[in-house]
Amino acid sequence: MKRRTFLSAAAGLSVSFLAGCALPVIPRRPAPSAAGAHAWIRHHEGRYALYLPRVEMGQNIATAMKQVACAELGAAWDRVNVILPATSDIGPVRATVGSESVRDFAVPLAQACATLRDALAAGRTEGHIDARPYPLEALRAFRADAGAAAGPPALVQGEAIVRGEALYVADVRRPGMVFGRVLRAPASPELAARPLGYDAAAARAEPGFVALVRDPLLRQGRSEGVGIVARTPGALDRIESALAVRWHVDGGFTQATIDAALDLAPRLARGALAKTVRRGCIDRAARWDVDLAIDVPLAAHGAIEPRAAVAEFGSDGRLQLWVGSQDVFYQRDVMARRLGLENDRIVVTGCRVGGAFGGKTICTVELEAAVLARAAARPVKVQWTRAQEFRFGFHRPPSRHRLRARLEDGRLSQWWHAFSSSHILFTNAVVPPWLQHVTDLIGDDGVARGAALPYRAAAQRTEFDLVRLPVLTGPWRGLGAGPNALAIESAIDECARAANADAVAFRIAQIEEPRLARVLQCAAAAAGWGHKPAPAADRRVGRGVACGTYKGTSHAAVVADVEVDASGRLRVTRLVCAHDCGRVINPDQVRAQCEGNLVWGLGMVIADALPVASSRVAADSFADAPIPRIGDVPPMEILLVDAGDAPSGAGETAIVAAAGAIANAVRDATGHRPTRFPVAAGDLRTLPA
């Protein structure tokens, strides 16, 4: 059955706000529905094609969506072929972000599949049909026993990954393809930078030289770019060296500049902060039982695949683009706006993404490839180096937290959490300063994510300030939820100590959400809470717990065991996680997501930090900005709590508990409360008396 192709003709947004000021292209967020899902599933001669409406970036959503389709269609696994679509194949869908794929897209897909199944059963094999909005209880894919008899499904593209088959942008080869790079000043794009001069003759004399490109579209932020094109990737290095660009950079900054910008003391001295998550009346003058400062640094996404794109213009001026992006339709809209093309003259094909974590949501390398391809009149591949990833990508913003609490009869009475951070949703990698001042009036929900206290307190106040920093900041896995939860759970742990209470019992007595209490009890029971491992002769051991809610819908709790040797080296020895994201479609997939989040939490405590020096992010490789290695990762036990609630998102939930549990275990082992992350061995070196 050929399905009707649904194509929206809406173009990228271009709105004049003030004279001379144009809004950047704003990502569209169409809500998924049965009406829009009819192009996702198609039938022809007994076989089905599933055009995946989400980006596959290692979360294995292709497998989960195929499970939904097979269960609803009643089709064997090998009868459904998953296709990563181009923008010409399906209608616009929103970016793959926020743990939304199963929660928001599984039901519309199941409705489309149910419509197709019933049509085939009625003898219809030609034409197109509109999907019916079947109620949830009528859909087979969400029954508790759906797919149980078949066992765990084969991982979509799993064998291709093992075989090294072409799946990623770096694998794309086009006839006559050449290679490009955009050179920029060794400074943050927040600083105005331009080339003063370069040796074009020397560059052209290098073997493999194709083109030298100057185009205003190669500007990133306030930094002008110089494009080079070569016949081979290796020639790019030689041409860059021969070109020897001399740069002028206006201004500068250091780590001290960032620290001063985020300093909470003068902000609190002036009174209330600009944004409130919860507004309550608290007594600021009385003595606090807990008064804690937490600093979380700038940190990278650490995706193993550096971003890349391939662009090709046809003889008719049409643009084909292959990307590793979380939002292929946004890439199309940016290309239309910046290159002056109509949407129907651009086709963007999404490839599998080798890790993204929120970092591949905007248009960077994609526009570079298109501009260079237009100038060279050949297909061009641009792939950033690791150093470019660190210098020109956006990162998790640093944040500073001050948390204070009063107790009454062993329970929370008053809670005050103030923090400062930089922008996340309104990233300075896209939003100019004038527009960011406007958006600051409404705040930034990404910065506020996870800042609401999940415990009862008679009076609560949570407030924050936004600061535009000279480094690029933006969405990072879970947005603000990871840093905010680390700060909150550290303070709650100190509250339990101040109340002379058990850390688990203290939390359960004051948790407002029953599902959160349930996962905490589940994790504590599985970990054997109350029976801390015995210390070795030369090591201190500790156990910590933390829990939290993600986006108000999914819940997680983690128990961590750690040991610290005489040199101060910290090692996490065990992690137990209980996780409730509602109905689980693929248990193996959800466990993998939990494991990934636990490693992110581990990284927050032991590794994550980006150095800043000489007016830029000063990391060039993972040696400068390390991520946890396999030897750092402990045994993990994942317990999935599924009481039949609607799917609510698994991708980022466990990050609200992972780092806090490890930090609290360090406190238990050493008596030292980590307040600056990552934890340094020097902070933990002193052995107890």
Side-chain angles (χ1 to χ4, degrees):
M1 179 178 292
K2 299 284 182 72
R3 310 282 293 179
R4 179 174 58 191
T5 302
F6 180 76
L7 298 176
S8 171
L13 180 63
S14 177
V15 180
S16 292
F17 188 84
L18 296 171
C21 295
L23 286 171
V25 179
I26 306 299
R28 290 177 294 166
R29 295 288 181 262
S33 65
H38 68 275
W40 302 349
I41 187 70
R42 309 172 193 184
H43 175 267
H44 181 67
E45 295 182 352
R47 301 190 66 85
Y48 302 89
L50 169 57
Y51 286 78
L52 193 68
R54 314 306 290 134
V55 171
E56 178 55 80
M57 51 188 181
Q59 80 279 39
N60 297 321
I61 193 59
T63 304
M65 290 298 196
K66 184 173 179 177
Q67 282 183 266
V68 169
C70 288
E72 201 61 53
L73 292 166
W77 191 254
D78 61 357
R79 308 297 285 181
V80 177
N81 182 38
V82 177
I83 299 169
L84 305 185
T87 53
S88 56
D89 294 324
I90 63 175
V93 293
R94 66 189 182 205
T96 303
V97 296
S99 305
E100 298 173 344
S101 294
V102 169
R103 187 192 71 189
D104 292 350
F105 286 79
V107 170
L109 173 62
Q111 291 169 331
C113 290
T115 302
L116 178 56
R117 179 197 67 220
D118 291 348
L120 291 171
R124 291 191 62 182
T125 58
E126 299 292 336
H128 68 264
I129 49 177
D130 293 322
R132 293 174 51 194
Y134 291 80
L136 184 64
E137 59 271 15
L139 297 172
R140 302 174 182 178
F142 303 104
R143 296 174 184 169
D145 60 347
L155 189 69
V156 172
Q157 295 185 331
E159 185 174 320
I161 292 172
V162 173
R163 293 180 178 274
E165 296 178 10
L167 297 174
Y168 302 91
V169 181
D171 301 320
V172 173
R173 298 289 186 272
R174 301 298 299 166
M177 187 176 76
V178 291
F179 301 85
R181 179 179 299 168
V182 176
L183 312 180
R184 304 189 188 282
S188 169
E190 277 288 276
L191 301 179
R194 65 185 187 277
L196 290 175
Y198 43 77
D199 192 340
R204 291 189 176 95
E206 285 294 324
F209 176 89
V210 173
L212 175 65
V213 181
R214 295 301 312 277
D215 191 306
L217 291 178
L218 294 180
R219 178 187 178 109
Q220 183 191 16
R222 302 176 67 200
S223 177
E224 295 180 16
V226 177
I228 56 175
V229 183
R231 282 194 289 271
T232 65
L236 289 172
D237 293 332
R238 299 193 302 272
I239 294 167
E240 178 178 356
S241 178
L243 193 63
V245 183
R246 303 183 307 281
W247 301 96
H248 173 79
V249 179
D250 291 336
F253 62 88
T254 65
Q255 181 63 53
T257 309
I258 295 173
D259 294 342
L262 293 172
D263 192 357
L264 274 173
R267 296 175 180 280
L268 291 172
R270 291 192 294 267
L273 303 187
K275 310 302 171 194
T276 54
V277 178
R278 286 186 176 173
R279 186 190 304 270
C281 294
I282 55 172
D283 184 353
R284 302 185 183 213
R287 186 185 65 84
W288 296 95
D289 295 296
V290 171
D291 191 341
L292 189 63
I294 297 286
D295 289 351
V296 182
L298 188 75
H301 297 82
I304 298 303
E305 176 201 33
R307 69 196 71 208
V310 174
E312 179 177 1
F313 282 88
S315 58
D316 58 357
R318 295 178 182 270
L319 171 63
Q320 292 189 72
L321 195 67
W322 291 262
V323 302
S325 169
Q326 293 175 241
D327 192 345
V328 295
F329 285 94
Y330 177 65
Q331 299 296 338
R332 185 189 67 179
D333 291 349
V334 171
M335 295 301 148
R337 167 82 170 278
R338 303 302 297 275
L339 300 175
L341 298 173
E342 297 296 327
N343 276 351
D344 61 4
R345 296 181 65 79
I346 304 169
V347 175
V348 181
T349 299
C351 301
R352 190 180 181 98
V353 183
F357 318 116
K360 296 175 181 175
T361 48
I362 65 173
C363 183
T364 52
V365 67
E366 299 84 4
L367 183 61
E368 293 176 354
V371 171
L372 296 184
R374 184 172 64 177
R378 302 186 195 183
V380 171
K381 176 185 291 182
V382 177
Q383 184 161 358
W384 278 11
T385 65
R386 182 62 58 186
Q388 287 177 305
E389 282 285 324
F390 287 135
R391 293 181 187 179
F392 305 126
F394 62 72
H395 307 292
R396 181 189 76 195
S399 58
R400 289 195 162 186
H401 303 255
R402 183 82 178 272
L403 305 104
R404 287 174 270 199
R406 292 192 183 97
L407 304 175
E408 186 175 333
D409 298 326
R411 297 200 176 190
L412 278 175
S413 173
Q414 295 197 11
W415 172 267
W416 183 14
H417 179 190
F419 62 102
S420 58
S421 184
S422 194
H423 302 77
I424 293 180
L425 294 181
F426 299 113
T427 167
N428 59 345
V430 172
V431 179
W434 70 268
L435 181 55
Q436 209 160 62
H437 289 312
V438 176
T439 64
D440 283 352
L441 297 174
I442 61 172
D444 189 316
D445 286 345
V447 175
R449 183 168 297 173
L453 182 69
Y455 305 99
R456 285 185 290 272
Q460 300 181 35
R461 182 173 182 84
T462 300
E463 56 188 332
F464 67 97
D465 267 356
L466 291 166
V467 186
R468 187 177 180 109
L469 294 176
V471 291
L472 300 183
T473 65
W476 178 91
R477 191 168 194 176
L479 309 186
N484 291 335
L486 170 58
I488 290 169
E489 286 298 302
S490 295
I492 289 295
D493 210 61
E494 290 301 317
C495 289
R497 291 177 180 278
N500 197 27
D502 174 81
V504 171
F506 182 83
R507 286 171 168 82
I508 289 175
Q510 295 166 96
I511 285 176
E512 295 190 302
E513 168 57 59
R515 290 172 64 186
L516 180 59
R518 185 171 59 194
V519 293
L520 177 55
Q521 291 167 327
C522 183
W529 185 260
H531 302 282
K532 188 168 70 174
D538 59 345
R539 285 175 170 79
R540 295 160 288 172
V541 301
R543 173 169 286 179
V545 66
C547 62
T549 295
Y550 185 68
K551 296 179 75 171
T553 57
S554 297
H555 315 275
V558 173
V559 175
D561 290 340
V562 305
E563 62 179 29
V564 181
D565 66 17
S567 69
R569 181 179 181 273
L570 166 65
R571 188 169 74 90
V572 181
T573 58
R574 185 190 184 202
L575 291 170
V576 177
C577 175
H579 187 274
D580 180 355
C581 62
R583 171 65 67 209
V584 174
I585 302 298
N586 185 321
D588 286 346
Q589 173 180 307
V590 175
R591 289 190 183 94
Q593 289 295 298
C594 291
E595 289 172 355
N597 276 279
L598 294 179
V599 174
W600 278 79
L602 174 67
M604 288 179 68
V605 177
I606 72 168
D608 286 350
L610 271 176
V612 171
S614 302
S615 302
R616 64 180 176 89
V617 172
D620 290 328
S621 70
F622 282 129
D624 305 312
I627 59 177
R629 301 186 179 190
I630 192 66
D632 298 320
V633 179
M636 303 180 193
E637 182 179 351
I638 311 297
L639 305 133
L640 303 183
V641 179
D642 182 352
D645 298 286
S648 54
E652 298 159 307
T653 301
I655 204 164
V656 301
I662 297 170
N664 293 337
V666 172
R667 170 70 163 91
D668 185 52
T670 66
H672 168 76
R673 163 57 60 189
T675 59
R676 294 182 64 88
F677 295 90
V679 177
D683 296 335
L684 309 179
R685 191 166 291 137
T686 304
L687 285 169

